[in-house]
Amino acid sequence: MRLYHADDVRDNCGFGLIASIEGDARHDLISTAVQGLDRMQHRGGIGADGKTGDGCGLLLQIPEQFFREYAEQQGWNLGKKFAVGMVFFSRNSDKREAARHLIEQELQKETLSIVGWRKVPVDDSVLGNAAKAAEPKIEQVLISAPTGWRKKDIERRLYMARRRVEQKVEQGVFSADELYICSMSSLLLVYKGLMMAGDLPRYYPDLANPALKTAICVFHQRFSTNTQPRWRLAQPFRFLAHNGEINTIRGNRQWAQARLYKFHSPLLPDLQQAAPLVSQSGSDSASLDNMLELLLAGGMDLFRAMRLLIPPAWQGDSTMSDDMRAFYEFNALHMEPWDGPAGIVMSDGKWAICILDRNGLRPARYQIDKYSNITIASETGVNPVPQDCVISKGRISPGGILAINTETSEILTEKEIDDRIKNIAPYRKWLKKNCIYIESSLDKYEGPGLKKISSEDFSISSKLFLLYKEERTSVIKPLAIESQEGTGSMGDDTALAVMSKMHRQIYDYFRQQFAQVTNPPIDSLREASVMSLETCYGPELNVFKDTFEHAKRLV
């Protein structure tokens, strides 16, 4: 019997972001984010020592001037365009040196230059005993890019180099606690760990340095379920911070693995070398972050990627435009939703974004103040300002999204974002040309003509098809009479098929994994729009022609 397994890693946390709408990089945004984290301490777990947190962290824009000044002090020649990697190393000096050499080797393969390694200043006196026992050695690597490279080009090559390093961890050359890359980017930087939220700038003196500035700060306070705290599992990850659970995580991971051969991009011709592209272990939030990172590295539009991963309840929305419906229908054919409950804040260095899943069970509230700051968090009071300083406030709706462009000062609502993405490609034309809709002839049946089966034949057929009384009365009868799915409790007291003395259908040997989480009751209106059979599966089964061809080849 096991007490712990990596697949059991789950989160239920507090999250938020603060950003300057005008893109003004300031140190006080970091201070405000830390204060917000401290106010959400009740959202995180605390060890018995009273000082070991469950994990908290910040995601910042790269503070360019801060690192240029450091490089100048060291006499290093930092390129016009550069990146920074934040790395958790083993405390064993030999393993640390081997891991450092591996990272340098993979970066050099991408024609990226190692400028130098910086030992990140830390104060471990603020840590509890449990956090200190697992504390990694933390270093930053400064990387110069060749002249003429765009930042997106740098990000893609950093992604490939990092994935090859991570493969060594997956192969067992290093354990996950001996080598973990928190971030490696020319856009974003992560500071995180197992300290209490208020101690974050005490542990990392960098965060108390006025020279460290950003226009966007994503922050997260972790509360894990059924797991021990881990430095590497603290959030944010490389793009996002997530509150909730991805209930479909096993299926999402397996579908990502199954579709590996379909992932191609001219921007990443060697993408297959980075497999597996989505972590099969660790937390559900980390896997979601992996998938988002993959889509963006492959050149997908940021908003399309988020709507692909976490779509709203579009099937039952009769008010949605045909173009928007076509967008969601097309994307639904390529990837299943990463179903929540999920509240997510994220940034790619330019955009600050918050999105909720279609249930909206992890709330997010925002406020915009007269200082051109926007604060979004999982509860109010994270950044209290006088009422006369508040210009606007509200909440993100279920399935909603709010985005701030810190370069242009745009604030985009859900409608404005959807209007942008629905015309990225001719989705309606593609569906009409390539999609086949399979419908039952009984859907349009009117009048007599159905053949009635005799009792004797029915008994024989029931035995042949293993149709038992419970299925006839609880499943088939409601479908036949009312055209509705039968209702019942979540429990199933029948014997497992593998242990049953009766003959069972082949699909009885496969069980759906059910994730029961602490959610509030669902109101009838939301249940109708989000959880009905039609919403989950759609009124028709949509199949692409190439899927049929692939199936033929398999057969």
Side-chain angles (χ1 to χ4, degrees):
M1 178 181 293
R2 63 179 173 86
L3 297 179
Y4 170 81
H5 193 277
D7 292 345
D8 294 332
V9 176
R10 299 183 177 90
D11 296 298
N12 187 11
C13 329
F15 71 97
L17 71 80
I18 182 168
S20 167
I21 297 172
E22 296 177 352
D24 181 20
R26 309 193 312 268
H27 177 73
D28 69 274
L29 294 183
I30 298 175
S31 303
T32 304
V34 171
Q35 291 172 3
L37 268 178
D38 199 23
R39 292 185 175 106
M40 290 196 298
Q41 184 61 66
H42 59 281
R43 290 271 187 167
I46 303 174
D49 56 23
K51 297 178 70 176
T52 298
D54 212 354
C56 62
L58 305 178
L59 177 68
L60 320 169
Q61 292 174 320
I62 290 284
E64 183 170 337
Q65 190 59 35
F66 176 85
F67 285 108
R68 290 203 178 278
E69 289 177 0
Y70 179 82
E72 186 177 342
Q73 293 169 6
Q74 302 299 314
W76 296 344
N77 182 22
L78 194 59
K80 185 177 181 181
K81 291 183 179 176
F82 71 94
V84 180
M86 184 80 161
V87 188
F88 287 171
F89 284 119
S90 168
R91 299 191 69 83
N92 181 289
S93 59
D94 292 337
K95 290 183 177 180
R96 187 163 65 250
E97 184 59 35
R100 196 184 291 118
H101 176 70
L102 172 63
I103 292 173
E104 291 178 354
Q105 189 179 43
E106 295 301 338
L107 288 171
Q108 288 166 358
K109 286 180 182 178
E110 301 294 343
T111 66
L112 295 164
S113 304
I114 310 299
V115 177
W117 288 89
R118 174 180 183 252
K119 292 183 179 179
V120 179
V122 297
D123 178 5
D124 62 5
S125 67
V126 305
L127 298 179
N129 294 331
K132 191 178 293 187
E135 181 189 13
K137 285 290 186 180
I138 307 174
E139 297 185 21
Q140 291 169 337
V141 56
L142 276 65
I143 308 158
S144 283
T147 304
W149 280 27
R150 299 172 304 168
K151 286 204 170 184
K152 288 186 177 180
D153 298 326
I154 301 172
E155 292 299 297
R156 292 186 180 102
R157 300 332 303 169
L158 288 170
Y159 171 74
M160 291 302 301
R162 198 199 78 233
R163 280 299 303 133
R164 289 197 296 270
V165 171
E166 291 171 341
Q167 285 173 347
K168 298 297 182 182
V169 176
E170 291 154 3
Q171 293 165 6
V173 178
F174 299 95
S175 75
D177 293 322
E178 291 173 342
L179 174 56
Y180 176 77
I181 301 175
C182 303
S183 62
M184 186 176 283
S185 172
S186 62
L187 304 170
L188 299 162
L189 179 65
V190 170
Y191 284 88
K192 65 181 184 179
L194 295 186
M195 65 293 299
M196 304 293 284
D199 289 331
L200 196 59
R202 299 185 184 95
Y203 181 78
Y204 290 113
D206 285 355
L207 298 177
N209 189 334
L212 200 73
K213 300 177 181 179
T214 181
I216 301 172
C217 190
V218 172
F219 51 94
H220 187 274
Q221 175 68 59
R222 185 171 187 258
F223 186 93
S224 61
T225 308
N226 302 328
T227 59
Q228 292 294 321
R230 295 285 190 277
W231 280 77
R232 59 186 171 83
L233 293 180
Q235 296 190 44
F237 295 109
R238 295 166 189 122
F239 280 100
L240 59 81
H242 166 226
N243 173 31
E245 290 185 321
I246 303 300
N247 291 337
T248 56
I249 187 61
R250 180 173 294 182
N252 294 134
R253 286 169 173 166
Q254 291 176 349
W255 273 117
Q257 189 71 8
R259 293 192 177 110
L260 177 61
Y261 76 98
K262 284 191 171 184
F263 287 111
H264 294 283
S265 171
L267 300 173
L268 286 170
D270 53 347
L271 177 61
Q272 295 296 317
Q273 296 178 15
L277 303 175
V278 173
S279 170
Q280 301 297 305
S281 61
S283 71
D284 50 358
S285 308
S287 294
L288 175 61
D289 187 74
N290 290 163
M291 180 54 76
L292 175 61
E293 183 181 36
L294 169 64
L295 297 176
L296 297 182
M300 184 175 288
D301 175 81
L302 174 61
F303 295 121
R304 183 194 169 192
M306 293 305 297
R307 285 311 213 184
L308 171 66
L309 295 170
I310 308 174
W314 59 274
Q315 294 97 331
D317 187 352
S318 59
T319 65
M320 184 174 289
S321 70
D322 291 340
D323 287 334
M324 200 69 244
R325 183 177 295 277
F327 168 84
Y328 286 119
E329 184 176 345
F330 177 85
N331 283 285
L333 295 169
H334 292 82
M335 185 176 293
E336 298 73 24
W338 290 61
D339 244 348
I344 289 173
V345 285
M346 63 157 294
S347 176
D348 66 347
K350 178 174 75 172
W351 290 94
I353 298 174
C354 180
I355 184 170
L356 295 190
D357 73 302
R358 59 187 182 177
N359 292 282
L361 299 179
R362 294 293 184 267
R365 301 180 183 277
Y366 71 87
Q367 72 177 24
I368 302 174
D369 60 40
K370 69 178 184 180
Y371 309 109
S372 295
N373 297 327
I374 182 166
T375 305
I376 305 175
S378 49
E379 56 192 79
T380 57
V382 169
N383 179 23
V385 297
Q387 187 61 36
D388 57 356
C389 294
V390 177
I391 295 176
S392 175
K393 60 182 178 180
R395 67 181 181 90
I396 315 297
S397 61
I401 183 171
L402 182 67
I404 302 92
N405 187 326
T406 57
E407 292 184 359
T408 63
S409 301
E410 291 179 280
I411 300 178
L412 298 185
T413 63
E414 178 182 353
K415 183 179 184 305
E416 291 167 327
I417 290 170
D418 286 348
D419 286 343
R420 282 189 174 202
I421 60 178
K422 69 183 181 183
N423 295 319
I424 291 177
Y427 298 113
R428 291 178 67 186
K429 182 179 178 181
W430 287 349
L431 288 171
K432 185 175 181 179
K433 182 178 180 181
N434 298 300
C435 217
I436 299 171
Y437 296 86
I438 302 176
E439 299 178 358
S440 169
S441 59
L442 293 177
D443 291 344
K444 299 178 181 178
Y445 173 76
E446 294 179 3
L450 287 177
K451 181 181 177 182
K452 185 175 180 180
I453 188 170
S454 67
S455 298
E456 182 180 354
D457 289 341
F458 183 76
S459 178
I460 295 173
S461 296
S462 295
K463 291 179 180 179
L464 287 174
F465 292 96
L466 303 178
L467 185 64
Y468 299 107
K469 182 178 179 180
E470 183 178 5
E471 291 173 305
R472 294 201 304 267
T473 58
S474 302
V475 180
I476 295 178
K477 186 176 180 180
L479 284 172
I481 297 177
E482 303 172 2
S483 299
Q484 291 187 6
E485 182 183 14
T487 58
S489 68
M490 294 183 291
D492 181 2
D493 58 2
T494 57
L496 293 173
V498 70
M499 301 178 69
S500 176
K501 295 181 179 179
M502 305 180 70
H503 293 291
R504 301 287 290 273
Q505 294 281 12
I506 184 66
Y507 51 74
D508 285 346
Y509 288 84
F510 299 88
R511 307 287 290 188
Q512 180 181 5
Q513 186 180 29
F514 179 77
Q516 186 168 346
V517 293
T518 53
N519 290 328
I522 304 296
D523 59 88
S524 58
L525 295 176
R526 189 179 303 181
E527 185 176 15
S529 66
V530 175
M531 299 182 175
S532 68
L533 182 65
E534 181 176 311
T535 298
C536 295
Y537 300 101
E540 304 91 12
L541 176 64
N542 304 327
V543 185
F544 266 112
K545 290 179 180 178
D546 67 346
T547 304
F548 284 123
E549 296 301 319
H550 182 61
K552 289 177 184 177
R553 290 195 295 270
L554 290 178
V555 173

